[in-house]
């Protein structure tokens, strides 16, 4: 999978530090699973194991469940970020080229947004990290209840570092969604071509839908942070609780928008293009009828030219093809991914509620 994903449409190594580091380690191990779970996910797992082992008497089933969910994030997120930068985005660029009047445009778009990720990843990462010190400050009762005793406690700093790393991952996730928004907006601003004979049955628009829904699926991993956030909100004062719910609300808006915005944007553009094509075909049809002295409605059975009739039939057939092509970039597999991405946070909330009810 590495060869097909990391090199598709990308003839140079990414300048984004996480992808570059991932690729360098892959040169030696050739196992994305090892790189993500062991190399990137190993240190957070060690911190969590030490914390649970040394402070076991403070652990509860819901809290251990929330820590395990965090470790899934630290283990899987590096792979997903690498996959987006080195696989999903380059594949999208290649798949969307046939839709553009000028395919070279995607080369410029790709360079700019790969560069945006490489140069500005720290800004959303820093923004997502800012609430962590505030939450640690306001959450002293919650932390003490779970075996963390402030700045004099070495485990406090280790767990704080783990939370900051998760915040960096979440911030990068927000940036990936923003890049998807911006890329789709730029593609929608370009002259597009609809291919009614495209194998996807969607005029070639499936490339947009797959890019959007896979971004949504990647970003939905952040829902694994929700159990810990909800436990925290239930145990601390209103100020920190409001911050938690604001963070959750922003996340919910992004996870919904990561699919809906690209889909609606491209669908509207494609509908406008189809309307123009249908108008042009209709005008050609009636102009040709007038040029061959055919009546506007029906045909003159006595003077109809069979060659002219074949051309009129061809125009009608092409009109029907463009009129009937489905432009909304959804197929059953895509719908299932979307449903799973939206259901995932709700499922986690249900599990959290069940565990706390035991």
């Amino acid at each position: 999978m590495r060869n097909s994903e990391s090199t598709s449409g990308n003839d140079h190594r990414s300048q984004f530090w996480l992808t570059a580091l991932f690729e360098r380690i892959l040169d030696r191990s050739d196992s994305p699973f090892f790189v993500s779970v062991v190399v990137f996910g190993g240190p957070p797992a060690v911190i969590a194991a030490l914390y649970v082992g040394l402070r076991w008497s403070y652990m509860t089933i819901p809290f251990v469940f929330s820590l395990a969910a965090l470790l899934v994030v630290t283990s899987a997120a590096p792979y997903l970020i690498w996959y987006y930068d080195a696989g999903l985005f380059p594949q999208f660029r290649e798949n969307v080229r046939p839709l553009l009047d000028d395919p070279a445009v995607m080369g410029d778009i790709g360079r700019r947004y790969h560069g945006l990720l490489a140069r500005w990843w720290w800004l959303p990462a820093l923004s997502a990290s800012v609430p962590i010190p505030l939450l640690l400050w306001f959450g002293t009762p919650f932390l003490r209840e779970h075996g963390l005793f402030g700045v004099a406690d070495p485990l406090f700093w280790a767990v704080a570092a783990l939370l900051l790393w998760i915040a960096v991952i979440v911030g990068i996730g927000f940036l990936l969604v923003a890049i998807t928004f911006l890329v789709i907006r730029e593609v929608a601003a370009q002259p597009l071509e609809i291919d009614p004979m495209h194998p996807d049955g969607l005029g070639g628009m499936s490339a947009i839908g797959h890019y959007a829904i896979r971004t949504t699926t990647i970003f939905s991993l952040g829902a694994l942070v929700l159990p810990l956030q909800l436990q925290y909100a239930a145990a601390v004062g209103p100020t920190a609780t409001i911050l938690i719910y604001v963070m959750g609300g922003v996340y919910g808006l992004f996870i919904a928008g990561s699919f809906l915005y690209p889909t609606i944007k491209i669908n509207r553009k494609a509908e406008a293009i189809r309307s123009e094509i249908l108008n042009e075909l209709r005008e050609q049809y009636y102009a040709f009828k007038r040029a061959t002295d055919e009546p506007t409605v029906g045909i003159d059975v006595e003077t109809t030219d069979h060659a002219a009739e074949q051309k009129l039939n061809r125009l009608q057939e092409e009109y029907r093809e463009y009129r009937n092509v489905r432009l909304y970039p959804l197929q059953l597999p895509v719908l299932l991914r979307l449903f799973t991405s939206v259901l995932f946070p709700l499922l986690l909330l249900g599990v959290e509620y069940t565990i706390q009810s035991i």
Side-chain angles (χ1 to χ4, degrees):
M1 183 165 71
R2 179 193 168 198
N3 290 336
S4 63
E5 289 178 351
S6 63
T7 61
S8 175
N10 193 7
D11 56 359
H12 63 282
R13 292 225 173 191
S14 172
Q15 298 303 306
F16 176 46
W17 69 269
L18 190 148
T19 305
L21 178 58
F22 207 105
E23 293 281 356
R24 282 199 294 271
I25 300 173
L26 272 181
D27 286 341
R28 300 176 182 178
S29 71
D30 201 31
S31 171
F33 177 83
F34 173 83
V35 176
S36 190
V37 174
V38 178
V39 177
F40 284 95
V46 170
I47 292 174
L50 287 173
Y51 172 39
V52 172
L54 294 174
R55 306 290 161 85
W56 177 250
S57 60
Y58 295 91
M59 297 296 118
T60 62
I61 293 177
F63 190 70
V64 172
F65 167 75
S66 65
L67 289 179
L70 294 184
L71 293 182
V72 174
V73 174
T74 58
S75 297
Y79 168 81
L80 294 175
I81 294 170
W82 166 75
Y83 167 70
Y84 182 98
D85 186 33
L88 180 60
F89 187 31
Q91 286 175 358
F92 166 75
R93 288 165 49 194
E94 291 301 312
N95 293 338
V96 85
R97 285 179 193 274
L99 301 178
L100 301 175
D101 282 352
D102 181 10
V105 169
M106 282 311 299
D108 178 60
I109 291 175
R111 284 188 294 272
R112 282 191 287 113
Y113 287 105
H114 278 296
L116 174 65
L117 176 61
R119 290 191 299 272
W120 294 101
W121 67 271
W122 60 269
L123 187 57
L126 179 63
S127 300
S129 301
V130 166
I132 299 300
L134 298 176
L135 293 173
L136 291 175
W137 174 264
F138 285 109
T140 300
F142 175 78
L143 298 178
R144 287 186 175 277
E145 181 183 346
H146 294 92
L148 294 174
F149 305 111
V151 296
D153 182 2
L155 272 178
F156 172 87
W157 292 107
V159 173
L162 170 59
L163 295 176
L164 286 171
W165 170 235
I166 292 173
V168 168
I169 290 173
V170 170
I172 294 172
F174 275 101
L175 180 58
L176 298 185
V177 174
I179 287 174
T180 299
F181 286 173
L182 295 171
V183 168
I184 295 299
R185 187 183 67 176
E186 292 211 24
V187 169
Q190 301 297 321
L192 298 179
E193 297 179 355
I194 298 173
D195 181 5
M197 300 182 68
H198 196 281
D200 66 3
L202 299 168
M205 296 293 120
S206 64
I208 311 294
H210 290 159
Y211 178 46
I213 193 59
R214 284 170 183 163
T215 300
T216 303
T217 303
I218 289 171
F219 193 58
S220 68
L221 182 74
L224 289 169
V225 180
L226 288 175
L228 182 61
Q229 288 183 322
L230 293 175
Q231 291 175 43
Y232 179 95
V236 298
T239 302
T241 299
I242 290 172
L243 180 57
I244 286 290
Y245 281 103
V246 167
M247 293 166 60
V250 171
Y251 172 75
L253 289 175
F254 264 72
I255 198 172
S258 64
F259 180 78
L260 292 176
Y261 174 82
T263 299
I264 295 172
K265 187 77 172 176
I266 290 297
N267 180 253
R268 287 179 176 175
K269 176 64 178 282
E271 287 285 1
I273 293 171
R274 175 163 64 180
S275 295
E276 292 178 4
I277 293 172
L278 292 178
N279 285 333
E280 182 180 348
L281 289 171
R282 185 169 58 250
E283 290 174 2
Q284 289 181 15
Y285 180 84
Y286 287 116
F288 188 75
K289 267 201 164 191
R290 290 192 296 270
T292 55
D293 294 326
E294 290 285 350
T296 303
V297 179
I299 61 173
D300 187 338
V301 295
E302 296 182 356
T303 62
T304 294
D305 182 346
H306 290 292
E309 185 178 358
Q310 288 180 344
K311 291 182 179 180
L312 289 172
N313 287 337
R314 197 170 105 193
L315 283 170
Q316 287 180 320
E317 180 62 27
E318 192 168 354
Y319 183 92
R320 283 191 293 268
E321 287 177 353
Y322 277 99
R323 183 191 62 194
N324 295 332
V325 66
R326 295 178 299 144
L327 297 179
Y328 198 74
L330 285 180
Q331 293 173 307
L332 181 58
V334 179
L335 280 171
L336 291 175
R337 290 192 190 101
L338 176 62
F339 178 74
T340 302
S341 300
V342 174
L343 182 64
F344 188 43
L346 300 177
L347 179 62
L348 283 174
L349 296 180
V351 171
E352 173 69 15
Y353 177 79
T354 302
I355 292 177
Q356 291 191 15
S357 300
I358 296 176

